[in-house]
RNA sequence: GGGCGAUUAGCUCAGUUGGCUAGAGCAGUUCGUUUACACCGAAAAGGUCAGGGGUUCGAGUCCCUUAUCGCCCACCA
């Protein structure tokens, strides 16, 4: 026996050696598995794309959680004989990365993006991202992730750039991408638009002002933002509201805080007559709802606030001041002119940009959009339930594949969330006024129509300066990583659609739905068959991990102290899909003990038996047959649960069997047999111990890949495969 | 305002289509053991499955309702 079993299992001593061995074997790559006859040539494919981590920082425990789950599934499928591919990659995370880089760079150099040429700034940000990428890849390896590194992708590399531009052109040609001046979520601080999903809500105290526009105006209106009222072009009331019937259709002109305002009284179903005074001042330029009303009634739009959050009209006290300041100035003006009816403190939700924390100022901007409600003739014939040429909208496609169960969402309740979200989906604003990202492939030249092209159409053409929303490129992830737009690429043909996606529920609208949109339109197929949703990790007290709470746990430190296998078990057992889980180091500790238990079980077996015992040809004793039958029943049950991705059950049952059946019962009674039994009983039992321990290693391998591989190296027989990772799952 | 989830042992959670005496890990109790393992073993303890009502031969599981906590969506101006 190897002396190393005389001391407790030391994860740190063996894990990196084991990982190197795997990596050098090349078997993370399914092609190598086939080449060496470890996977059958005609084996069914099984593929997962790694949700690409943002290159903004390091991996946290949440990533480790995802990695543990996906790697367990991948390792299982590989052992099960599938042609198994897990594609690694990272996300350039446009605005998040740019914001972070700019902040750190400013701290050091006192220079911002405005101090650099566009290309230089882009390159600097890219370098920053690349540096994080290499850290991230190192961390994934520490986790034991059996990703095929030969297929590493980045959402901003050349191949993905080509995919992005191809996608843009196809959608533009189908008239699903359009350019339009519309109200956007403008992040004043970040100086860019953000999509609806990147706007967070924060409760803030505000004042509800009730006032009249002028003495001549017949009734008061209410608003928390009187400064925007300089841009009102209508007052909307409910059509059935008797109080205002007589005014509908009238037009009033007056000067309001120095601005010439003309409002028309209109009737709109949207107005809630119960709320406030039941009359809504319509500001088409600075409110999403109001702009919709304006569109219905064909009202003009007057912009009041610019990109810097400053007033562009109004009297001298107001013009050029910040909107928040102007609010009070206008309120004072109302008081001074005896127009103010009442002021009431209320709590309201304010939109905040997710990445920069800046207040969102809705204002009109010329932007690029994806139209989710436009009908078009479906160009593919490969999607179940939708025929080629059938008239559909992107929204309908997104709903169809989920309702049709082509894409199944686990747990099922998230289908409701998904459906609800898609149903209310508005057009997707895909342009961003930042530098780090895919520059929009649209070119302009004086006197010519704009052109969509991957490269410059020729002399004198200037490219659109906006970049694409980062989710545009990650929406392509399931197929841009597999060779698309070359639809003849081997990987694309073999591995798409992928089998499984393992995202957190918070990313369902942002990413999962976008992948479905892109894939159903561009490829004519679903991006993945199953969405296996995970919950969020929380700390011991059930709080989110966050910087402000400083309760973060570095997975690498946990690994250093307890070993990757222990961490992986802790992130697997007791975790059900979609359910949040609180993380406690106690748990990791417990599974480190388990690793050591397995270590000592091995020590016992290696001490008492040798490879010769495995080929003992006598029959098993009656008791051993009983044990074997029981074990194969368990194996059958566990295999079924693995097929259903019930990792939390399998891992726990293996833990229990190993410790409390194999060690506590079988090993204990073996001692007596070895002392008092007859030769055939002893030989039977020795063969049995090796057989079961080997199978435990095999089945535990997806969860605890390192220690099981380490043990396998000492346990394997001449006719066994060299590397446990490539060994076949028990056949029944 | 709308939607969803959670509530099971001191703590963290399982409990698949309703079916033996409701399980696991950790913590705690008692005893034991140092030639596989003290990162150990054995034994016991611990639950009106949030409350109430209903369906059923049978409910932790299905339905209704109440309560508490949490999350998501929604620019009542």
């Amino acid at each position: 026996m190897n002396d190393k079993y005389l001391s407790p299992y030391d994860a740190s001593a063996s894990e990196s050696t084991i990982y190197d061995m795997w990596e050098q074997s090349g078997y993370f790559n399914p092609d190598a598995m086939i080449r060496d006859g470890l996977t059958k040539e005609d084996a069914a494919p099984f593929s997962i794309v790694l949700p690409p981590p943002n290159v903004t920082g390091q991996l946290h425990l949440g990533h480790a959680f995802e990695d543990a789950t996906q790697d367990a599934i991948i390792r299982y499928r590989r052992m099960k004989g599938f042609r198994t591919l897990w594609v690694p990659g990272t996300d350039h995370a446009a605005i998040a990365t740019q914001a972070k880089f700019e902040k750190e760079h400013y701290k050091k150099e006192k220079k911002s993006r405005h101090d650099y040429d566009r290309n230089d700034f882009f390159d600097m940000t890219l370098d920053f991202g690349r540096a994080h990428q290499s850290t991230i890849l190192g961390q994934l390896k520490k986790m034991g992730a059996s990703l095929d590194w030969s297929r590493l992708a980045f959402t901003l590399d050349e191949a993905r750039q080509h995919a992005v531009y191809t996608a843009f052109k196809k959608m533009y040609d189908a008239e699903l991408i359009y350019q339009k001046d519309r109200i956007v979520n403008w992040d004043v601080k970040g100086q860019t638009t953000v999509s609806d999903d990147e706007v967070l809500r924060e409760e803030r105290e505000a004042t509800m002002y009730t006032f009249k526009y002028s003495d001549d105006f017949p009734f008061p209106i209410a608003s928390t933002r009187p400064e925007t009222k300089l841009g009102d072009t209508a007052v909307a009331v409910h059509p059935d509201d008797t109080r205002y019937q007589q005014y509908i259709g009238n037009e009033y002109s007056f000067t309001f805080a120095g601005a010439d305002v003309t409002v028309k009284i209109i009737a709109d179903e949207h107005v809630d007559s119960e709320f406030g005074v039941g009359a809504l001042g319509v500001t088409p330029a600075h409110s999403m709802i109001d702009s919709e009303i304006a569109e219905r009634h064909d009202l003009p739009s007057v912009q009041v606030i610019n990109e810097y959050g400053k007033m562009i009209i109004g009297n001298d006290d107001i013009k050029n001041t910040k909107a928040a300041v102007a609010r009070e100035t206008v309120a004072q003006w109302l008081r001074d002119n005896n127009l103010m009816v009442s002021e009431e403190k209320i709590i309201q939700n304010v939109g905040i940009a997710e990445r920069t924390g800046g207040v969102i100022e809705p204002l009109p901007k010329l932007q690029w959009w994806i139209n989710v409600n436009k009908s078009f003739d479906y160009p593919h014939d490969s999607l179940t339930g939708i025929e080629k040429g059938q008239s559909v909208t992107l929204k309908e496609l997104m709903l169809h594949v989920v309702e049709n169960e082509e894409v199944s969402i686990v747990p099922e309740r998230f289908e409701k969330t998904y459906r609800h979200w898609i149903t209310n989906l508005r057009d997707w604003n895909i342009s961003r006024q930042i530098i780090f990202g895919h520059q929009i492939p649209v070119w302009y030249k004086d006197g010519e129509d704009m052109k969509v092209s991957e490269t410059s159409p020729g002399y004198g053409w200037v490219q659109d300066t906006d970049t694409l929303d980062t989710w545009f490129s990650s929406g392509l992830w399931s197929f841009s990583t597999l060779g698309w737009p070359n639809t003849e690429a081997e990987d694309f043909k073999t591995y798409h659609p992928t089998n499984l996606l393992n995202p957190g529920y918070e990313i369902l609208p942002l990413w999962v739905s976008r992948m479905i949109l892109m894939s159903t339109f561009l490829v004519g197929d679903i991006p993945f068959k199953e969405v296996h949703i995970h919950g969020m990790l929380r700390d011991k007290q059930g709080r989110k991990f966050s910087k402000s709470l400083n309760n973060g746990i570095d997975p690498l430190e946990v690994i250093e102290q307890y070993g990757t296998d222990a961490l992986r078990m802790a992130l697997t057992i007791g975790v059900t899909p979609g359910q949040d889980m609180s993380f406690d180091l106690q748990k990791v500790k417990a599974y480190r003990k388990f690793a050591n238990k397995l270590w000592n079980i091995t020590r016992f077996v290696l001490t008492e038996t040798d490879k010769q015992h495995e080929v003992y040809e006598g029959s098993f004793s009656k008791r051993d047959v009983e044990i074997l039958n029981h074990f194969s029943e368990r194996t059958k049950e566990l295999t079924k649960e693995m097929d259903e991705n019930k990792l939390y059950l399998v891992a726990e049952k293996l833990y229990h069997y190993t410790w409390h059946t194999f060690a506590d019962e079988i090993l204990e009674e073996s001692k007596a047999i070895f002392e008092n039994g007859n030769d055939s009983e002893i030989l039977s039992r020795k063969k049995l111990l090796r057989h079961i321990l080997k199978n435990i290693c095999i089945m535990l391998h997806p969860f605890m890949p390192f220690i099981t591989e380490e043990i396998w190296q000492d346990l394997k027989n001449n006719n066994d495969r060299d590397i446990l990772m490539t060994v076949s799952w028990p056949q029944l």
Side-chain angles (χ1 to χ4, degrees):
Chain A
M1 186 191 65
N2 194 320
D3 280 351
K4 72 190 178 194
Y5 290 100
L6 295 177
S7 43
Y9 176 62
D10 179 6
S12 60
S14 63
E15 289 183 351
S16 65
T17 318
I18 298 273
Y19 196 89
D20 288 346
M21 190 232 340
W22 288 331
E23 212 179 342
Q24 276 157 27
S25 77
Y27 294 142
F28 292 159
N29 184 339
D31 304 334
M33 291 287 287
I34 288 173
R35 181 197 63 212
D36 292 355
L38 299 167
T39 301
K40 288 190 187 131
E41 209 152 335
D42 59 352
F46 185 92
S47 58
I48 298 179
V49 287
L50 178 77
N54 290 352
V55 292
T56 45
Q58 310 196 345
L59 298 190
H60 53 254
L61 217 47
H63 291 108
F65 178 31
E66 283 190 353
D67 301 338
T69 307
Q70 290 168 55
D71 192 49
I73 292 171
I74 283 289
R75 283 179 188 271
Y76 169 67
R77 295 290 170 167
R78 188 185 289 121
M79 294 172 99
K80 203 81 201 291
F82 285 86
R83 181 172 179 172
T84 306
L85 173 64
W86 188 18
V87 185
T90 51
D91 195 324
H92 70 288
I95 190 167
T97 307
Q98 175 169 319
K100 184 147 192 215
F101 167 69
E102 209 172 358
K103 195 172 160 193
E104 287 189 13
H105 189 72
Y106 189 80
K107 252 188 213 160
K108 277 185 270 177
E109 310 276 340
K110 295 277 174 268
K111 284 179 177 173
S112 76
R113 66 176 132 151
H114 307 293
D115 296 309
Y116 296 96
D117 166 59
R118 180 181 181 118
N119 289 335
D120 291 345
F121 183 80
F122 180 94
D123 289 343
M124 288 162 72
T125 313
L126 187 60
D127 286 344
F128 172 84
R130 291 269 186 212
H132 284 302
Q133 184 187 45
S134 65
T135 312
I136 289 168
L137 301 186
Q139 286 174 304
L140 283 164
K141 291 178 183 184
K142 277 273 182 199
M143 279 302 292
S146 56
L147 288 152
D148 180 5
W149 299 109
S150 72
R151 287 173 164 91
L152 179 66
F154 177 49
T155 53
L156 198 52
D157 63 20
E158 226 172 280
R160 263 46 66 177
Q161 169 110 310
H162 180 52
V164 163
Y165 282 4
T166 307
F168 188 96
K169 178 138 179 55
K170 279 180 185 285
M171 298 183 90
Y172 181 84
D173 290 345
E175 294 176 3
L176 293 171
I177 287 183
Y178 65 95
Q179 196 179 28
K180 192 181 175 188
D181 209 348
R182 279 179 56 180
I183 302 283
V184 296
N185 303 302
W186 181 258
D187 173 5
V188 175
K189 192 169 175 191
Q191 287 293 301
T192 179
T193 60
V194 294
S195 67
D196 292 346
D197 330 281
E198 292 165 309
V199 179
L200 304 177
R201 305 276 150 197
E202 224 174 82
E203 283 202 339
R204 297 218 176 147
E205 198 172 72
T207 308
M208 177 70 78
Y209 301 97
T210 303
F211 56 89
K212 283 167 71 172
Y213 286 111
S214 75
D215 285 330
D216 304 335
F217 199 78
F219 53 87
I221 57 155
S223 175
T224 53
R225 301 199 58 189
E227 79 280 13
T228 64
K229 301 288 106 183
L230 278 68
D232 281 11
T233 55
V235 169
V237 297
H238 195 273
D240 300 336
D241 197 328
T242 49
R243 290 173 293 179
Y244 304 113
Q245 285 293 335
Q246 50 181 311
Y247 307 115
I248 293 171
N250 291 359
E251 262 189 26
Y252 299 86
S253 290
F254 44 84
T255 303
F256 184 79
D260 294 326
V261 176
T262 300
V263 298
K264 187 178 173 185
I265 313 296
I266 57 168
D268 195 285
E269 296 278 348
H270 174 83
V271 179
D272 178 2
S273 45
E274 301 293 311
F275 185 82
V277 291
L280 164 65
V282 181
T283 321
H286 298 287
S287 158
M288 212 73 91
I289 293 285
D290 291 7
S291 91
E292 283 168 14
I293 293 175
E295 234 168 86
R296 282 198 287 274
H297 297 271
D298 202 19
L299 299 168
S301 169
V302 176
Q303 188 167 350
V304 177
I305 301 165
N306 68 9
E307 284 85 345
Y308 303 103
K310 289 189 173 169
M311 301 294 290
I312 52 177
I313 57 171
N315 63 33
D316 291 346
D317 294 340
I318 291 168
K319 207 170 171 181
N320 292 326
T321 62
K322 290 216 161 200
V325 176
R327 188 169 311 152
E328 183 45 39
T329 315
V330 173
Q332 193 53 47
W333 178 85
L334 288 166
R335 292 182 206 113
D336 293 346
N337 290 280
N338 288 321
L339 293 168
M340 190 75 84
V341 176
S342 67
E343 299 177 43
E344 186 196 350
K345 290 268 179 244
I346 58 154
I347 299 294
Q348 72 166 9
N349 284 326
V350 175
I352 302 291
E354 185 182 24
R355 294 296 174 190
T356 64
V359 174
I360 295 297
E361 187 66 67
L363 48 81
K365 270 279 205 191
L366 186 62
Q367 294 289 315
W368 291 94
W369 306 83
I370 287 182
N371 194 333
V372 295
N373 290 310
K374 185 188 165 82
S375 294
F376 61 94
D377 293 341
Y378 194 59
H380 308 278
D381 59 1
S382 43
L383 201 62
T384 315
I386 298 210
E387 283 165 30
K388 189 170 178 169
Q390 186 177 332
S391 175
V392 289
T393 65
L394 290 174
K395 198 184 254 190
E396 283 163 7
L397 285 173
M398 290 161 92
L399 285 171
H400 172 81
V401 293
V402 170
E403 281 170 358
N404 207 25
E405 287 295 314
E406 279 196 76
V407 174
S408 66
I409 299 180
V410 179
E412 216 172 327
R413 68 185 136 94
F414 285 105
E415 278 187 20
K416 279 187 203 162
T417 316
Y418 176 84
R419 204 171 307 151
H420 182 250
W421 190 82
I422 300 296
T423 308
N424 295 315
L425 191 62
R426 286 193 287 228
D427 284 0
W428 173 15
N429 173 204
I430 52 167
S431 46
R432 296 290 180 275
Q433 292 66 53
I434 60 171
I435 294 168
F436 192 58
H438 294 280
Q439 198 168 343
I440 290 187
V442 174
W443 302 77
Y444 308 94
K445 188 179 179 179
D446 279 347
E448 306 252 9
D449 288 340
M450 65 172 76
K451 280 188 181 174
V452 174
S453 166
E454 193 161 343
T455 52
S456 171
Y459 181 76
W461 289 84
V462 181
Q463 190 170 4
D464 194 315
T465 54
D466 282 1
T467 50
L468 287 166
D469 180 9
T470 191
W471 299 103
F472 189 97
S473 55
S474 36
L476 313 175
W477 194 240
S478 74
F479 48 91
S480 70
T481 50
L482 296 175
W484 190 90
N486 175 12
T487 51
E488 290 306 306
E490 267 315 303
D491 277 1
F492 180 72
K493 287 198 292 186
T494 309
Y495 299 108
H496 202 271
T498 62
N499 293 76
L500 185 109
L501 189 76
N502 177 226
Y505 54 74
E506 75 284 355
I507 215 166
L508 200 63
L510 279 170
W511 190 44
V512 178
S513 70
R514 265 71 180 268
M515 287 176 87
I516 294 176
L517 181 157
M518 292 295 193
S519 185
T520 49
F521 176 71
L522 294 165
V523 176
D525 207 344
I526 53 172
F528 29 71
K529 293 169 186 156
E530 181 179 335
V531 183
H532 189 80
I533 292 177
H534 68 252
M536 237 172 31
L537 281 179
R538 295 171 177 281
D539 73 1
K540 216 175 148 184
Q541 284 105 50
R543 303 173 306 178
K544 282 185 189 179
F545 286 111
S546 75
K547 273 185 199 138
S548 51
L549 284 170
N550 199 26
N551 58 351
I553 296 177
D554 180 358
L556 291 189
E557 277 175 30
V558 179
I559 287 172
E560 193 63 37
Q561 206 176 347
Y562 301 101
T564 301
D565 291 332
L567 173 62
R568 288 173 60 133
M569 284 293 270
L571 291 170
T572 304
I573 293 180
V575 181
T576 36
Q579 206 59 43
D580 289 353
M581 154 211 191
S582 54
F583 182 84
D584 185 354
L585 273 179
Q586 274 303 325
K587 221 172 151 185
V588 186
K589 233 175 181 167
Y591 295 113
R592 183 188 55 170
K593 276 160 69 172
F594 176 62
N596 192 55
K597 185 73 184 181
L598 183 62
W599 193 246
N600 281 292
I601 288 170
T602 307
R603 174 177 165 184
F604 178 84
V605 172
L606 289 179
T607 311
E608 297 293 336
T609 72
D610 57 56
K611 288 177 188 177
Q612 255 49 49
H613 293 122
E614 272 184 56
V615 292
Y616 165 67
E617 287 185 350
S619 53
F620 280 115
S621 68
K622 208 174 150 197
R623 169 64 182 150
D624 289 350
V625 168
E626 196 182 303
I627 291 171
L628 279 171
N629 285 341
H630 173 246
F631 184 66
S632 52
E633 263 169 48
R634 297 308 299 247
T635 305
K636 212 179 282 176
E637 175 189 328
L638 295 178
T639 304
K640 181 171 170 274
E641 284 162 351
M642 279 309 273
D643 285 335
E644 293 164 356
N645 298 322
K646 290 181 177 160
L647 308 181
Y648 59 101
L649 276 183
V650 177
E652 186 172 349
K653 285 179 180 176
L654 281 169
Y655 172 99
H656 205 251
Y657 183 87
T658 304
W659 199 311
H660 300 298
T661 302
F662 190 57
D664 291 349
E665 289 174 21
I666 300 171
L667 252 51
E668 287 308 318
E669 71 179 38
S670 298
K671 290 177 189 170
I673 291 171
F674 294 153
E675 198 142 328
N676 310 314
N678 60 41
D679 281 0
S680 65
E681 277 173 338
I682 291 172
L683 288 170
S684 161
R685 180 51 64 106
K686 290 190 170 179
K687 184 175 178 176
L688 175 98
L689 290 185
R690 290 188 83 96
H691 173 79
I692 293 189
L693 180 55
K694 269 183 166 178
N695 279 285
I696 284 175
C697 282
I698 292 172
M699 289 194 284
L700 217 40
H701 183 255
F703 307 102
M704 307 183 82
F706 289 108
I707 188 172
T708 52
E709 184 72 71
E710 173 100 31
I711 291 172
W712 181 261
Q713 295 306 314
D714 297 312
L715 208 57
K716 69 185 175 191
N717 217 327
N718 300 334
N719 52 355
D720 283 322
R721 288 187 182 173
D722 260 347
I723 301 179
L724 176 58
M725 183 179 78
T726 69
V727 167
S728 299
W729 189 264
Q731 307 286 318
L732 290 165

